[in-house]
Amino acid sequence: MSPSTRVPWDRRTRTSGDRPRVIVIGAGMAGMAVGCYGQMSGLETRIFESHVLPGGCCTAWAREGYLFDYCIDWLNGTAPGNEANQVWRELGALDGKAITRFDEINRVVAEDGRSVTFHTDPDRLQAELEACSPADAAKIRRFCADLRRFVRLEIHPFLTPTPLMSWREKLRMLGKVLPALGLFRRTGGTQMADFADSLSDPFLAAALRNMFYQDPRTFALIPFHYTMAEAHKGNVGMPQGGSLGLARSVEERYLGLGGRIDFRAKVTRVLVEDGRAVGVELRNGERHYADHVVAAGDVHTTVTKLLGGEYTNPRLDTLFTEVAPDPEQLYPAVVSVFVGFRGDVAADEPVSTTYLLPEEDVARLPGVLQKSLVVHLRSRLIAGLAPEGRSLIHCTYFSDYDTWKALRSTDRRAYWDLKRQLAAFIREFLERRFPGIDERVEVVQVATPATTERYTGNHRGSILGWKSPKADDLVDDLIAKDRLALPGLAGFHLAGQWVGSGGLLRAAASGRFAAQYLCRELGVPFHAEESRGAEPWQAGKLGDLPQLDNWTERPRAARPTARTSRT
C-alpha cells in the first residue's frame, strides 16, 4: 500500500494485507531500537515521544554557544568483532564516527592531595596501586590477575534473549561461560565494598570504591573488572558527537528505515480491549491504533498510570514495592553543574577526577549522598561542546531526589536560590583547583534530579535504574521468563533501562529483545542487518538544539559575562 493510500493511525479498520503496525512509547535508546528492528522486520512502526529530542537521558542542550552533554561517560561496544558492537552497527549509532578510547578511567584525589589513577592496562594499574599501598600488594596482584582474565573473555549476550536462542547458540554461549565460571562466581560474589574494606590503606579503599567516578555501593567486583577489561581492549570509548550525537544517529537510522517519530506527543493511556493492547491515547485526546504496543519509557509510570495499575507481574511488584524503596537498590539521581569558561586548564590535567571532600565542602552540596565531587573536563573528551578558545567542565555528585523535588514543588524561588548557591560553590571549588578560572567563567548550568525527571520521566530521577544483585536477578527473569510481557495483556511488551538493568547498551539490547518477542507473537520473522551509513559525522547532524527556558541571571555583578541558567 502506498503512503498516500495508507489507513490513518487513528482509524481501527484496515485491510488484511496491511503490514502489522506497532506503536512505541518513548524515543529513548530502547524505543528507537524497537522501531529500527521492527522496520527491518517488515513492520510499520510509529514512536510517540513527549520531549522535543530523541534519546531520553542520552541527550544534550545548548546555552550561549555551549553544548551541555549530559549522559555518556563511556560507551560499551565501540570496537568491532563482538555482539555489543553489532547492536550499535545495526542501529547506525557509530556510523561515520571517530572513537576516543581510554588509557585511564578516572583519578581519585584525597583531601591531603594523595592520588591514584585507574589505568585500563592491567600492568600499569597494578604498578599504580602497589605504589599507593605496598602493604596490600598481594591483594592488588590478585585483583589485577582477575582483570587480565576478563581481558581474555569475549562474552557479550546482547543479541538474543535466552528463550529464543537456538541450541547451537546456547551451546556456544555455554562454551564461553563454563571455563570462566569460577571467575564469575568469585568476582560476582564479592562486593567491591568488602574487597576495599579488606585493604590496609584507607585511601586506596576509598579510591577503589570511586573508580567509576562515585561509589555505587552495592556493585560486585564483576562490573569493575568487565568495564576496565573492555576499555583496555578498546571496546569502551566515547563516540564522536557524544550523547545527543548517538541518539541522533539512531534516529537517522530509524527514519531511514521508514519509521516515524511524533515529538511533543505525550501518551497518557494504553488502550486495552478484551485483554489486548490496541493503541494509545495522547494528552491532547488523540487516539492511535496498532496491532502491538511497546512501552519503552519509565516502567513505573507505564504500569501505574498508562495501564491504570490493572496489569503487572510479581517481579515488577517486587521491584517497585520492595527493591525501589531501599536507597541501596536504586541507582541514585545525579546533580550536574556545567561550567563554560574562556581558555582551558593545564594540559596534563586528567579528563576525569573524583575529589574526596572535607566536611565543610560536603555541607555545601545540597542533597549530597557521598563525600565526593566528580570534575570531568567534558570538552577534552568530546569535540564541539564549547566555542573556539573555550572549554566546558561537568561537575557531578550523587544526590537525594526528595530534597530537590520537594523544593521545586513547594517553593520554586527557593529551588532556584539553592541552585545559585550550588553554582557559587562549584565556582569557588574550581578556583581552588585551577587558580584564575573563576574570572573566565561565562556560563553555569545546573541540572537536578527534578530536571531529569521533568525531561525524561525517569522514576525519582534515577539515571541508570537498578544497581543491586537482587534487582539484576528479577530483571533477568523479566527478560527470560516473562519475555518482557505482562500477564493477561496480549499485544504488549516492555523495553528500556528498567527492564534491561540500565546503561545505553542494555537499553538498546532490551529493544532488540522486545522486537524479537513481538515478532514471534505477530508471526513475523525477525530480521536485523547492519547499517551501511558511511557519511562522516559532523556537528550539523545534531540538529536544532533546545535552549530550555530563556531566563538567565548574572550571579555576580562584578562578573557580567557569567550567567547561571535554570532548568
Side-chain angles (χ1 to χ4, degrees):
M1 182 179 289
S2 67
S4 60
T5 59
R6 284 179 184 160
V7 174
W9 287 75
D10 59 0
R11 287 179 52 187
R12 294 292 307 276
T13 305
R14 298 192 297 121
T15 63
S16 58
D18 291 347
R19 290 188 296 162
R21 281 182 167 174
V22 177
I23 285 175
V24 182
I25 305 170
M29 202 54 63
M32 290 193 293
V34 174
C36 285
Y37 290 115
Q39 293 294 136
M40 289 185 230
S41 301
L43 305 175
E44 187 178 0
T45 69
R46 184 175 180 182
I47 301 176
F48 291 98
E49 167 59 47
S50 62
H51 196 18
V52 298
L53 289 175
C57 281
C58 189
T59 192
W61 62 96
R63 173 68 63 197
E64 300 186 24
Y66 290 90
L67 181 64
F68 306 115
D69 187 276
Y70 180 70
C71 177
I72 302 176
D73 294 315
W74 59 76
L75 185 71
N76 188 7
T78 55
N82 60 78
E83 292 185 1
N85 182 253
Q86 183 176 331
V87 172
W88 295 130
R89 294 199 310 272
E90 291 168 351
L91 297 178
L94 306 180
D95 285 357
K97 294 180 178 178
I99 304 294
T100 300
R101 295 188 167 86
F102 297 92
D103 293 325
E104 56 189 55
I105 287 290
N106 193 26
R107 179 185 68 169
V108 178
V109 178
E111 294 178 42
D112 62 5
R114 287 183 68 194
S115 69
V116 62
T117 298
F118 289 97
H119 305 281
T120 59
D121 177 84
D123 296 336
R124 291 188 66 192
L125 178 63
Q126 182 174 322
E128 177 87 5
L129 300 185
E130 287 183 356
C132 180
S133 180
D136 291 308
K139 292 178 180 179
I140 290 168
R141 285 195 292 270
R142 287 195 293 271
F143 179 88
C144 292
D146 282 343
L147 176 56
R148 294 183 184 93
R149 294 184 183 99
F150 270 92
V151 170
R152 296 192 290 269
L153 292 179
E154 291 292 343
I155 299 178
H156 305 276
F158 303 115
L159 294 184
T160 307
T162 305
L164 299 185
M165 284 184 178
S166 66
W167 281 109
R168 180 171 296 181
E169 289 172 320
K170 290 178 180 177
L171 288 173
R172 186 162 56 244
M173 176 65 72
L174 195 61
K176 293 180 179 180
V177 170
L178 281 178
L181 203 55
L183 177 66
F184 291 155
R185 284 175 176 167
R186 182 170 61 256
T187 57
T190 303
Q191 295 278 301
M192 171 55 89
D194 294 334
F195 174 75
D197 288 345
S198 74
L199 301 178
S200 61
D201 186 340
F203 167 63
L204 182 57
L208 280 165
R209 289 170 175 266
N210 288 275
M211 183 191 303
F212 291 163
Y213 298 173
Q214 292 207 274
D215 180 5
R217 291 171 122 46
T218 58
F219 275 16
L221 289 177
I222 193 167
F224 291 91
H225 281 117
Y226 172 81
T227 302
M228 292 288 279
E230 293 302 307
H232 181 54
K233 293 186 288 186
N235 199 37
V236 163
M238 174 64 75
Q240 190 178 5
S243 304
L244 184 58
L246 192 82
R248 286 296 196 192
S249 291
V250 178
E251 177 193 31
E252 182 179 359
R253 170 69 163 154
Y254 174 61
L255 298 178
L257 289 165
R260 171 180 173 180
I261 303 179
D262 291 57
F263 292 104
R264 299 185 187 275
K266 185 177 180 63
V267 173
T268 57
R269 185 158 69 103
V270 175
L271 303 175
V272 179
E273 294 181 4
D274 299 324
R276 183 174 187 86
V278 297
V280 297
E281 183 175 302
L282 306 185
R283 180 165 50 189
N284 63 7
E286 291 181 4
R287 291 188 171 191
H288 300 274
Y289 297 93
D291 302 287
H292 207 98
V293 176
V294 178
D298 182 75
V299 171
H300 187 264
T301 299
T302 296
V303 171
T304 60
K305 296 182 179 179
L306 305 190
L307 291 170
E310 296 184 26
Y311 300 93
T312 184
N313 65 40
R315 275 174 268 278
L316 283 177
D317 288 342
T318 301
L319 281 169
F320 283 104
T321 61
E322 298 179 20
V323 179
D326 180 355
E328 293 301 322
Q329 311 297 314
L330 191 67
Y331 209 89
V334 168
V335 169
S336 289
V337 183
F338 294 92
V339 181
F341 60 100
R342 299 186 303 279
D344 203 349
V345 297
D348 60 353
E349 281 291 330
V351 168
S352 175
T353 302
T354 297
Y355 292 96
L356 306 182
L357 302 177
E359 292 293 342
E360 56 267 29
D361 282 348
V362 173
R364 297 183 65 185
L365 295 177
V368 67
L369 297 178
Q370 298 181 10
K371 299 177 181 180
S372 59
L373 178 71
V374 180
V375 175
H376 199 263
L377 307 184
R378 204 72 172 151
S379 54
R380 289 265 182 97
L381 191 59
I382 307 171
L385 299 189
E388 185 71 25
R390 288 159 170 79
S391 303
L392 184 71
I393 287 177
H394 185 198
C395 299
T396 58
Y397 64 90
F398 284 160
S399 173
D400 173 40
Y401 163 82
D402 293 317
T403 295
W404 297 98
K405 178 64 174 180
L407 200 57
R408 191 179 190 280
S409 299
T410 60
D411 191 338
R412 193 71 57 85
R413 186 172 296 278
Y415 173 77
W416 296 330
D417 285 343
L418 192 61
K419 293 176 74 169
R420 293 187 186 101
Q421 294 168 26
L422 174 58
F425 167 71
I426 294 296
R427 293 180 65 160
E428 292 174 22
F429 182 86
L430 293 178
E431 177 66 19
R432 284 183 239 155
R433 286 351 183 236
F434 313 116
I437 192 175
D438 191 57
E439 64 185 13
R440 296 183 279 134
V441 170
E442 294 185 324
V443 63
V444 180
Q445 176 90 177
V446 179
T448 75
T451 310
T452 302
E453 184 184 54
R454 285 173 59 213
Y455 286 100
T456 70
N458 272 12
H459 183 61
R460 296 185 64 80
S462 174
I463 57 171
L464 283 174
W466 315 110
K467 70 178 182 77
S468 72
K470 181 178 181 180
D472 286 344
D473 291 342
L474 290 165
V475 168
D476 287 345
D477 285 344
L478 282 171
I479 295 172
K481 295 182 179 180
D482 299 325
R483 302 191 174 205
L484 296 174
L486 298 176
L489 184 59
F492 182 86
H493 281 91
L494 300 166
Q497 71 171 17
W498 297 101
V499 292
S501 291
L504 288 172
L505 177 60
R506 290 188 177 275
S510 78
R512 198 181 199 274
F513 294 168
Q516 291 173 78
Y517 283 136
L518 73 88
C519 282
R520 176 67 64 93
E521 184 174 321
L522 292 171
V524 174
F526 175 80
H527 181 68
E529 61 186 16
E530 293 183 16
S531 169
R532 299 182 183 275
E535 180 184 354
W537 170 261
Q538 43 88 16
K541 287 181 175 287
L542 290 175
D544 294 332
L545 296 169
Q547 304 293 309
L548 300 183
D549 56 61
N550 293 320
W551 181 92
T552 59
E553 67 164 341
R554 291 183 174 86
R556 298 183 181 184
R559 294 180 176 86
T561 58
R563 290 171 173 80
T564 299
S565 179
R566 77 186 184 197
T567 59

